[in-house]
């Protein structure tokens, strides 16, 4: 039985799921679609389901403008998760190191989510109501399709 509280594991799983969403939003845009059938899988799903891949030059400019900062946040979060994984799998279990690792992952996740939410809010200003509805439905679908922890 693990000595780490269940809430911490749930927070970590939620953080991972939300950050995977962020990777889908920004990384998929740069990679372009692989399946034009309308139901792309994986990281391309949100971009295509939301219609952001064809939302127009203003939207593309906003996403491009923020891509570098989001990548930096992704790398920082990846590094924090590696440090946490190292702390959890160390020969000698150090509770302070593990808690610091979880805290860092929460902080990095929160910062990344705040950035992504800001970008999506900026994008939404340039979308017609039907496009915003499509984006909202894609957000709901992506949450429903997240794997359980």
């Amino acid at each position: 039985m693990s000595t780490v509280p269940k809430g911490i594991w749930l927070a970590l799983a939620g953080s991972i799921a939300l950050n995977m969403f962020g990777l889908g939003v920004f990384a998929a845009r740069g990679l372009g679609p692989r399946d034009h059938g309308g139901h792309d899988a994986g990281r391309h799903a949100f971009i295509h389901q939301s219609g952001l891949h064809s939302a127009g030059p203003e939207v593309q400019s906003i996403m491009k403008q923020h891509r570098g900062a989001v990548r930096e946040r992704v790398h920082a979060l990846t590094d924090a998760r590696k440090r946490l994984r190292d702390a959890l799998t160390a020969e000698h279990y150090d509770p302070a190191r593990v808690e610091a690792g979880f805290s860092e992952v929460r902080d990095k996740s929160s910062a990344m989510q705040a950035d992504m939410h800001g970008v999506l809010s900026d994008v939404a200003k340039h979308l017609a109501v039907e496009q915003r509805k499509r984006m909202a439905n894609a957000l709901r679908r992506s949450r429903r399709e997240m794997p359980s922890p």
Side-chain angles (χ1 to χ4, degrees):
M1 189 82 180
S2 174
T3 60
V4 179
K6 185 177 180 179
I8 298 290
W9 287 113
L10 291 175
L12 181 60
S15 169
I16 290 169
L18 285 170
N19 288 298
M20 290 305 297
F21 162 76
L23 285 173
V25 170
F26 293 99
R29 179 65 191 122
L31 298 173
R34 299 290 185 258
D35 173 13
H36 298 284
H39 294 291
D40 236 357
R43 61 184 161 203
H44 301 288
F46 177 78
I47 287 290
H48 294 284
Q49 290 173 356
S50 67
L52 293 179
H53 69 289
S54 61
E58 288 177 332
V59 169
Q60 303 310 316
S61 176
I62 291 167
M63 292 174 67
K64 184 177 181 179
Q65 176 184 351
H66 294 280
R67 192 173 293 140
V70 170
R71 282 189 184 134
E72 287 178 25
R73 296 277 192 193
V74 168
H75 292 302
L77 180 59
T78 299
D79 292 345
R81 286 182 178 147
K82 183 185 180 316
R83 286 188 289 278
L84 173 59
R85 188 173 43 255
D86 291 347
L88 285 168
T89 60
E91 185 77 26
H92 172 73
Y93 181 78
D94 181 352
R97 182 176 168 207
V98 169
E99 188 52 43
F102 277 121
S103 179
E104 182 183 18
V105 167
R106 280 191 305 272
D107 291 346
K108 301 292 183 191
S109 294
S110 180
M112 185 171 157
Q113 289 168 11
D115 284 353
M116 289 186 309
H117 294 165
V119 172
L120 291 176
S121 181
D122 284 348
V123 164
K125 293 176 198 173
H126 300 281
L127 300 176
V129 67
E130 289 304 316
Q131 290 173 306
R132 290 193 311 271
K133 286 178 183 178
R134 187 173 173 185
M135 185 172 78
N137 288 335
L139 285 168
R140 188 176 68 221
R141 273 193 302 274
S142 68
R143 290 194 65 198
R144 221 178 20 238
E145 294 168 1
M146 286 183 202
S148 298

